[in-house]
Amino acid sequence: MHFRTFVISTALCLSVAPRAGAAIVEGRIIDPESRAVRGAQVVIVCGSSIAAAATTDAEGRFKTTDVAGACELRVAINGFAAAPVPLDLAPGGSPFDAGIVRLAVSAVSESVVVSAAQVDVPLSQASSSVTVITASELRARQLMTVADALREVPGLTVARNGGTGALTSVFPRGGESDYTLVFVDGVQANAFGGGFDFAHLSTDNIDRIEIVRGPQSALYGSNAIGAVVRIVTRSGGPIRGDATFEGGSFGTARASASTSGAWKPWEWGAGVERLVSDGFNHTPLASGEEVVNDNYERTSAGANGGWRDANGASVRGDVRFERDDRGFPGPFGSDPGGTFAGIDRVSRGRDDRWIASIGGTVPSGSRVRTHGEVTRNSIDSAFQSPFGASDSSSQRWTARAQSDISVRRGLDLSAGVEFQRERATSTFITDSSGAELPVDRSIAGYFGEARWSGMDRVFVTGGLRVEDIRRDALAGVSQPFSSRPDFAAERVVSANPRVAAAWYVRPGAGRSTKLRASAGTGIRPPDAFEIAFTDNPSLKPERTRSIDVGVDQLLASGHASIEATLFRNVFDDLIVAVGRFQQSSQFQTDNISNARARGLELASTLRGRARTLNLQARVGYTFLDSDILAVDNGRSAPPPFEAGDPLIRRPRHQWSLDLTAAGTRVSGWIRGGGRGRVLDVDPSLGAFGGLFFARGYGVWHAGAACKLTRGVELFGRIENLFDRTYEDTLGFPAPGRGAMAGLHVAASR
């Protein structure tokens, strides 16, 4: 308790220190043809972090908040790059004119990355394995869901149980489906225990998606065990409004509208979306049965607003609501074990999700900034099955305080504290009287991070977070098929370090070579069902140890890039049913299972111009070698697995290819992706029904867009271009060939 008081008191003291004078930076950004660039993000990098940022207006002009010291000006806009502009800004000086900055076509674009450190850093200085997908890329490739965008990220495996809205899981570098921590506008969106269904996360109104691969528990604590996906919605910049209408095959229709902008110190963003789809309904099966109960609908709305003054002080609030409703007809595809009993006409689920946050930043002089934020995440689910109705919920409150200190040029420190209070309930988690019994847990995280840069070529980050995880007492239950003794309150303290470094062996705008490496640990505390359905009063968090090394090479005067990363993960303390391993544990379930994964991630981008066309090609490939290991104090793996089996639904080979061509009015693209065969479980009975291999596949999509007039664009696409029959998950068919067409309208000033 004394440590908590010290951290918060220090943050409050720093926040009231007087602010020294600084300078405003202004200038203009133009493209290779000397035209003004609107919407480019300009960042001022001082040492190892971003000190100020601004967005260009219709004339390409920008003006930052106050900043001082020896810094660099960098420009972030997709498809282009500019050489850093050195700045020497004297405190209290007059506005500094950076002049005209000309962009060049580049395979690697600068970006602001929030997820790779405790502060915003430029992508060029990130030492982790980071991928940034921008709004312009999402729109150009007509990617309607975040899950579809993640399919093109090396190291991530996306598995969807059927058509639109079906359960969608992401496996990071061989990790489990609950090993990816998801943030939406800074709010952790995962359920209690780390679970997250990517089926319902639309790309509408998204500014960018950041993906950091590898454990990040040193930054974010619990659940950041395999990767972090951060969604940042649009806010601020030039005032604009967008509306999209589209419809097509499988009875699918979507409408959305959004707005964002800034006026003086105020900025905002808001969006709404409605989607409906019939899915496979009315599709005949070989048995003569017709698919029903496969329709899906989703409604979402979100808004954010904030205030920022010229000194860098700011306040921001966010709120988002989403409701989805879907039927579950069951696995009507491959049935290797002959266990499918027919279409489920009853099972249906509905989810209501709320996230909200409010926070602010207070600068203290030119060297210290203090942040504070409170967030709320709520998931309420209702499910109807042939066995009756059930419901569940997951609630989380988070409060966080952090101070960032610029010690000297090239050395920055961050320290803070974060508190979480979370609760999970379910119809199936009860006490002996049959009443619902909540599972409550508190987590306190104490963290620190140091960032050092040298000669603008070496960037090192080291951090440590200590998690104090406390589960409340839980009353026991005595039932014929499930019994649990009374659990006393339990406490687990876990320290998770992380270190990462990047070195520009050969710096330069067109032929740079960057080496990077990172190592760290991650943890995932048990979820509510793992806690409730065991007689083990002290289940520990699952853990991973990870290391990766990589190289980023820029070629052909910046028009081509190659990224290669080798990684190795070791997963320990996995929670499994003990079964026949009585020599390993006295409980029904315990932390005795283990696994490992190692592999290679490759990504390449090529950008160029042919006459009036801007051309781009992206290629991605992942090689993954995974093994289920023997349990602790045993020689075999949990049944039905054998030691040495690959992890289920983790392909050994996975690839993606994306080609785009964009002219003044017309653009087109073709995108492909696929994987090799994977080990899977029986579609109806799961692991109890045995193990089977699911076939590999390759599938292609194509689309085009035409600008009818200023701000009005007609677009269309064909999904599953060659009508390939395939399954992401064994037993759950993916949709066949389908077409979508729509209209996008945008207005700005």
Side-chain angles (χ1 to χ4, degrees), residues 567-599:
F567 65 88
R568 177 181 172 85
N569 296 331
V570 177
F571 306 110
D572 291 327
D573 294 337
L574 302 182
I575 300 170
V576 296
V578 171
R580 64 173 182 262
F581 302 106
Q582 295 301 323
Q583 76 279 9
S584 299
S585 176
Q586 60 180 316
F587 301 111
Q588 295 173 359
T589 61
D590 208 345
N591 302 89
I592 61 171
S593 187
N594 310 286
R596 66 185 176 196
R598 50 200 170 191

Side-chain angles (χ1 to χ4, degrees), residues 41 43 45 48-50 53 74 76 108-134 207-213 216 219-220 228-230 232 369 449 451 498 514:
Q41 190 169 24
V43 295
V45 181
S48 60
S49 61
I50 295 173
R74 298 173 182 263
V108 177
S109 303
E110 187 64 274
S111 181
V112 176
V113 178
V114 183
S115 311
Q118 296 289 3
V119 298
D120 298 359
V121 297
L123 179 61
S124 58
Q125 294 185 5
S127 47
S128 299
S129 298
V130 182
T131 299
V132 178
I133 306 173
T134 64
D207 178 70
R208 68 184 186 275
I209 306 170
E210 299 177 7
I211 305 100
V212 185
R213 301 179 301 279
Q216 306 295 319
L219 293 174
Y220 303 110
V228 171
V229 173
R230 182 181 289 267
V232 181
R369 290 181 299 176
E449 181 181 82
R451 299 171 298 279
R498 177 180 175 273
K514 176 183 174 183

Side-chain angles (χ1 to χ4, degrees), residues 331 333-341 682-684 727 730-731:
S334 300
D335 187 20
T339 56
F340 182 57
D682 183 87
S684 298
E727 297 172 346
L730 186 65

Side-chain angles (χ1 to χ4, degrees), residues 367-436:
R367 293 181 177 270
V368 180
R369 290 181 299 176
T370 301
H371 316 263
E373 185 179 42
V374 177
T375 72
R376 167 73 166 164
N377 171 29
S378 172
I379 306 171
D380 295 300
S381 303
F383 193 79
Q384 180 69 44
S385 78
F387 304 100
S390 61
D391 58 66
S392 61
S393 71
S394 175
Q395 317 288 329
R396 181 184 295 108
W397 283 96
T398 302
R400 179 185 177 98
Q402 174 180 330
S403 287
D404 305 317
I405 306 168
S406 178
V407 179
R408 57 180 176 82
R409 174 170 167 75
L411 179 60
D412 297 331
L413 301 177
S414 296
V417 61
E418 181 177 80
F419 304 110
Q420 291 185 15
R421 181 66 178 174
E422 53 185 358
R423 163 174 286 194
T425 63
S426 171
T427 300
F428 303 105
I429 301 177
T430 64
D431 59 19
S432 292
S433 69
E436 284 192 17

